[in-house]
Amino acid sequence: MTPQAFLKSDETVKEIDLTIVIPVYNEKEGIEKTIQHLDQIKRDADFDMEIILVNDGSDDGTEEILGKLSSGDYRVINHPKNRGYGAALKTGINVAKSCYIAITDADGTYPNERIPKFFHEMLDKNLDMLVGARTGANVKIPLIRKPAKWVLNVLANYLTNVKIPDINSGLRIMRKSVVERFINILPDGFSFTTTITLAMLTNGYAVKYIPIDYNTREGKSKIRPIYDTLNFLQLIIRTVLYFDPLKIFVPLSGFFLGTSALMVLYRLFISKAFGVTSIIFFICGIQLLGLGMIADLIDKRLK
């Protein structure tokens, strides 16, 4: 089945079936092995594929390795300085010749050999995004990142009403037209994948997850566990506020109104004394509910 069969009305037929975008920052330990692997995948694929490597200001020798790629099988784009994972992806997506974008990492952690089958699955099911969820039999995620990852997933599941197996997997295929719709809110940092996941799920796009293995990375991780977890938490709340504000405001309002009611009952039946704290909590609850309703009306009007 061909990609053209599933192009949406705002998409144009392009000369490449699939574009793979790989952000690269200081990956000299693993980039050559990744390139060799991609070479084999490209040769074996039964469709046209282009590979874009975005060197995001590397200064460890990675840039020299990429500079030796004389083959027309690759496009190497250089950022003069490090701009971030998301910025590198956006650079590659912007120049991609295909209507379908696959992204993966340069460190050898993802099973890139599965990309062709994922692409066919995406076409067959007419999906907007297909994600490789790191829930397979062999998943080597550092222990220090697992608690924060679990908390973020629980919060995201609640806010989107969808069970998300892996909110920020870096192996996925997306329709370029859908990514471009949200490009203005997609961050330049590691939270790019989290944001596009939330944006698609809260807007009803067709997303499918397929379990994958996840290998030990080559080289040093760029993730900062505490700093990046706090950023992801802030990002999840902000993104859902953008698309479905009542999911945030209604629980907050309920908390203040419920606490106010409990305080009133306590004053009436136990302490027999009057207090203004319950009134303050009640007013806060009403104000939050009103703000949520206004935000929701604005969101629906913009849509």
Side-chain angles (χ1 to χ4, degrees), residues 82-95:
N82 181 251
R83 291 169 51 192
Y85 171 81
L89 286 176
K90 286 189 274 188
T91 294
I93 291 168
N94 185 54
V95 301

Side-chain angles (χ1 to χ4, degrees), residues 62-79:
T62 299
E63 67 280 12
E64 296 175 4
I65 297 172
L66 295 179
K68 296 175 182 177
L69 290 178
S70 58
S71 170
D73 291 338
Y74 298 93
R75 298 173 68 187
V76 178
I77 301 174
N78 292 293
H79 287 174

Side-chain angles (χ1 to χ4, degrees), residues 17-303:
D17 292 328
L18 178 68
T19 298
I20 302 179
V21 178
I22 305 105
V24 186
Y25 176 59
N26 289 349
E27 296 287 358
K28 68 176 182 179
E29 289 89 349
I31 188 62
E32 288 185 289
K33 186 184 297 184
T34 298
I35 290 172
Q36 293 169 0
H37 193 195
L38 290 170
D39 268 334
Q40 187 62 49
I41 294 167
K42 183 176 173 65
R43 284 195 298 269
D44 294 342
D46 59 351
F47 53 84
D48 293 328
M49 181 192 303
E50 71 168 343
I51 299 171
I52 299 176
L53 296 154
V54 182
N55 175 31
D56 191 31
S58 297
D59 57 9
D60 69 335
T62 299
E63 67 280 12
E64 296 175 4
I65 297 172
L66 295 179
K68 296 175 182 177
L69 290 178
S70 58
S71 170
D73 291 338
Y74 298 93
R75 298 173 68 187
V76 178
I77 301 174
N78 292 293
H79 287 174
K81 62 179 182 179
N82 181 251
R83 291 169 51 192
Y85 171 81
L89 286 176
K90 286 189 274 188
T91 294
I93 291 168
N94 185 54
V95 301
K97 296 179 182 178
S98 172
C99 296
Y100 294 90
I101 309 294
I103 65 171
T104 188
D105 289 352
D107 56 17
T109 51
Y110 289 104
N112 294 329
E113 66 277 1
R114 298 187 65 181
I115 290 176
K117 287 187 178 180
F118 283 2
F119 182 51
H120 283 294
E121 177 75 7
M122 185 159 180
L123 297 180
D124 291 341
K125 296 296 194 300
N126 195 18
L127 301 172
D128 295 300
M129 182 166 70
L130 188 148
V131 183
R134 292 166 291 182
T135 57
N138 298 295
V139 176
K140 298 179 176 63
I141 295 177
L143 185 61
I144 192 173
R145 287 163 52 184
K146 288 185 178 181
K149 184 178 175 64
W150 180 84
V151 171
L152 293 176
N153 265 35
V154 169
L155 177 61
N157 291 344
Y158 160 71
L159 294 175
T160 60
N161 282 332
V162 177
K163 183 173 176 55
I164 307 173
D166 190 348
I167 193 170
N168 60 347
S169 171
L171 177 62
R172 59 185 67 203
I173 303 177
M174 308 168 285
R175 285 186 188 269
K176 183 178 180 180
S177 61
V178 178
V179 177
E180 288 174 335
R181 178 189 170 189
F182 301 112
I183 201 73
N184 290 331
I185 68 166
L186 295 176
D188 288 344
F190 281 111
S191 48
F192 178 100
T193 48
T194 302
T195 305
I196 194 63
T197 299
L198 295 171
M200 286 203 190
L201 291 176
T202 54
N203 283 275
Y205 284 97
V207 178
K208 180 175 181 177
Y209 288 87
I210 295 179
I212 61 169
D213 293 336
Y214 186 71
N215 302 315
T216 303
R217 66 166 283 121
E218 299 281 349
K220 185 179 179 181
S221 174
K222 314 299 187 304
I223 293 287
R224 298 159 292 182
I226 297 176
Y227 177 83
D228 287 324
T229 297
L230 292 175
N231 275 352
F232 285 143
L233 183 63
Q234 179 187 16
L235 170 87
I236 290 172
I237 295 173
R238 186 173 69 241
T239 304
V240 175
L241 273 173
Y242 188 88
F243 292 113
D244 192 1
L246 288 179
K247 276 285 188 178
I248 303 294
F249 283 104
V250 168
L252 287 176
S253 172
F255 169 78
F256 281 99
L257 291 175
T259 303
S260 172
L262 290 174
M263 287 180 175
V264 170
L265 293 173
Y266 176 79
R267 298 291 183 183
L268 286 174
F269 297 106
I270 299 178
S271 72
K272 307 295 184 181
F274 177 77
V276 298
T277 307
S278 60
I279 297 175
I280 295 173
F281 271 60
F282 178 79
I283 293 172
C284 286
I286 294 297
Q287 287 179 332
L288 285 168
L289 183 60
L291 283 173
M293 294 176 70
I294 292 171
D296 189 61
L297 287 171
I298 293 171
D299 176 63
K300 285 181 170 55
R301 183 177 179 84
L302 291 175
K303 287 180 181 178

